[in-house]
Amino acid sequence: MAHFAVVTPAFYSHFNAMSALAVELIDRGHRVTFIHRPDAAMWVADARIGFYAVGADTHPPGSVHAALRRAANPGSPLGLRRVIADMADTTDMLCRTLPAAFEALGIDAVLADQMEAAAGMVAEALGIPFVSVACALPVNREPGIPLPVMPFEYGDSPRHLKMYEGSTRVYDWMMGPHRQAVARHAHRLGLGERDNLHHFLSPLAQVSQSTSGFDFPRRELPAHFHHVGPLRFTRRAASAKDHDYFVPEVADDRPFIFTSLGSMQGSRFSLFRRIVRACRPLGAQLLVAHCGGLNAAQEDALRREGATWVCAFAKQDVVLARADAVVSHAGVNTVMDAIATRTPMLVLPIAFDHPGAAARVLHAGIGLRASARFSSPATIRKHVRTLLDDPSFARRMEPLAENLLHAGGTPRAADIVEAALRLTREPDDVACLG
């Protein structure tokens, strides 16, 4: 059996997805240890998962919350540059500390989040086999496919191709501080001239939380890339850190709408208030789940505005199975859950890969998009009413839901990891590359 290291960005959603895969591997007899800044230990979701702290000199305990606040709401071009600088600092720290950590722990293989270049870079430099995991939309680049952070519709006209190419150049320029850090360590580790996330993807296996049916038409993904769908816990994690999940008692005589902005954006009180004001005239039941981002006074204010229920955490799959529509930030986890439950979406993209996920929602015809910053309650109301009145959105979700149902999820991801590393027999659809 193998000892896996997990290296992933210090975000709750990434830790949660990787923890689900870790628990599946632990149940199969393997050992798994997360490696990151000391604060990140709070997101390890199972008592059997190890955690090894690194970088306390530059990323001391207590520092992660400021970085998360900046990432959730950069606020200006200067703020965005600070977020990029944070990413560069983290990659620099991990490139410096991972070699010694891998040696101290006796690591046999690495589960490398695509969004952290240090994971694949250091594993490759040390000759440690690794599997890339796309917890967000895949960073694999391909001509004719816009970057996942871009809001563009899909098309193959010269105009579309020029737009994709130009936006990629702008993005790479903006990411200059991060690319410089990556390039510096790639050169130091003897890996040549490489400076971007997609330069450090596994040659053995790559797995993605998205599905082939949801993505834009891809033509150049490697044969060892696998859409497995959401990485979820297949059984209750052995942890005392479970949230108090809320499930409302929904009446059958009125529409039920669910809204959540995910774990990083849940403090956006003004956006929640606009959503509440939009839904109130519809006579709908509305559940607001803020993931701990709001205080008690803000919760009470939303109830006074017309929210039926306000909670920190809802049992999302159960709630979405009952909901007639969902209003969200277009986070991949919420989008995948909405597809699984055939729940039409109004997406209000905010940051990261939200614009790319929103563009894919439109491409698939399974929801509508509006501006998180500028949409008025009247605009949000109009879109939600369309979702409630038009059954074609739910119908178009059927093939995507079937595609997701058969994607395999966490068990298939673990099968792929084991087969790629020759730890077990090869499943039918996994190529063992050595």
Side-chain angles (χ1 to χ4, degrees):
M1 296 292 100
H3 186 183
F4 289 90
V6 175
V7 182
T8 188
F11 297 138
Y12 168 78
S13 60
H14 288 249
F15 263 69
N16 198 56
M18 285 295 212
S19 291
L21 179 54
V23 166
E24 183 71 25
L25 291 168
I26 289 169
D27 285 344
R28 300 179 183 204
H30 302 292
R31 183 181 173 195
V32 183
T33 302
F34 280 67
I35 304 175
H36 216 293
R37 61 197 298 164
D39 284 347
M42 63 182 171
W43 293 317
V44 174
D46 190 285
R48 296 169 295 170
I49 300 173
F51 184 84
Y52 189 88
V54 294
D57 56 334
T58 55
H59 294 71
S63 63
V64 73
H65 295 294
L68 289 175
R69 284 194 299 271
R70 288 191 292 269
N73 191 12
S76 67
L78 183 61
L80 180 59
R81 293 291 286 183
R82 181 55 193 158
V83 172
I84 295 169
D86 285 343
M87 293 175 59
D89 289 345
T90 299
T91 294
D92 176 78
M93 179 272 289
L94 289 171
C95 285
R96 288 187 292 101
T97 59
L98 284 177
F102 288 170
E103 181 179 4
L105 292 167
I107 294 301
D108 302 305
V110 178
L111 300 177
D113 194 309
Q114 283 194 351
M115 291 301 298
E116 179 46 72
M121 184 196 307
V122 174
E124 180 181 344
L126 298 181
I128 300 174
F130 68 102
V131 172
S132 298
V133 182
C135 293
L137 289 180
V139 302
N140 303 64
R141 293 195 179 184
E142 182 176 327
I145 300 294
L147 297 182
V149 297
M150 297 299 172
F152 305 129
E153 63 183 16
Y154 175 76
D156 55 8
S157 71
R159 180 183 69 85
H160 286 97
L161 299 180
K162 184 177 181 179
M163 182 169 57
Y164 302 160
E165 182 182 354
S167 66
T168 298
R169 287 198 299 268
V170 171
Y171 173 81
D172 285 342
W173 173 78
M174 291 180 62
M175 291 295 293
H178 183 259
R179 292 174 58 226
Q180 291 166 14
V182 171
R184 182 172 65 253
H185 285 287
H187 179 75
R188 179 181 64 83
L189 293 169
L191 298 179
E193 303 299 319
R194 289 191 267 175
D195 65 357
N196 220 312
L197 294 175
H198 66 286
H199 292 157
F200 300 98
L201 303 181
S202 173
L204 299 177
Q206 302 171 25
V207 298
S208 171
Q209 281 207 100
S210 63
T211 61
S212 58
F214 177 68
D215 202 356
F216 289 147
R218 291 275 195 167
R219 300 178 180 86
E220 298 186 11
L221 288 175
H224 57 278
F225 185 99
H226 306 276
H227 291 96
V228 303
L231 297 175
R232 302 284 191 261
F233 293 98
T234 55
R235 59 186 61 83
R236 186 181 183 276
S239 172
K241 301 178 182 179
D242 294 334
H243 296 300
D244 184 15
Y245 290 109
F246 176 71
V247 178
E249 294 185 10
V250 180
D252 294 329
D253 59 345
R254 289 185 293 150
F256 172 43
I257 300 166
F258 173 56
T259 184
S260 171
L261 302 177
S263 56
M264 287 190 66
Q265 306 296 337
S267 63
R268 292 179 178 265
F269 171 72
S270 63
L271 179 53
F272 277 127
R273 184 167 55 184
R274 277 183 280 143
I275 294 169
V276 172
R277 290 175 174 176
C279 294
R280 183 176 56 195
L282 297 173
Q285 302 162 95
L286 176 65
L287 169 61
V288 176
H290 57 76
C291 299
L294 302 182
N295 58 40
Q298 291 170 321
E299 288 186 339
D300 289 341
L302 292 181
R303 293 187 188 98
R304 289 195 301 271
E305 293 276 4
T308 315
W309 306 278
V310 182
C311 68
F313 294 93
K315 189 67 174 172
Q316 183 161 281
D317 55 344
V318 175
V319 169
L320 283 171
R322 179 63 182 81
D324 298 292
V326 56
V327 182
S328 86
H329 60 309
V332 168
N333 284 318
T334 304
V335 169
M336 289 293 111
D337 284 344
I339 290 173
T341 56
R342 300 163 175 81
T343 309
M345 291 169 266
L346 172 59
V347 289
L348 308 170
I350 297 172
F352 305 110
D353 63 342
H354 305 164
R360 286 158 176 80
V361 167
L362 290 188
H363 179 72
I366 57 176
L368 299 172
R369 175 177 60 189
S371 169
R373 183 175 182 182
F374 298 113
S375 292
S376 66
T379 298
I380 295 172
R381 183 181 312 121
K382 179 185 70 174
H383 289 314
V384 172
R385 188 184 298 277
T386 299
L387 294 177
L388 295 175
D389 292 344
D390 187 347
S392 67
F393 293 101
R395 285 199 301 268
R396 286 190 288 268
M397 281 184 147
E398 286 295 335
L400 275 70
E402 284 297 313
N403 179 238
L404 190 154
L405 178 65
H406 298 292
T410 309
R412 181 169 172 240
D415 288 344
I416 291 167
V417 169
E418 289 187 316
L421 302 177
R422 301 189 184 279
L423 299 173
T424 187
R425 68 178 183 84
E426 178 182 354
D428 293 339
D429 64 340
V430 179
C432 278
L433 303 177

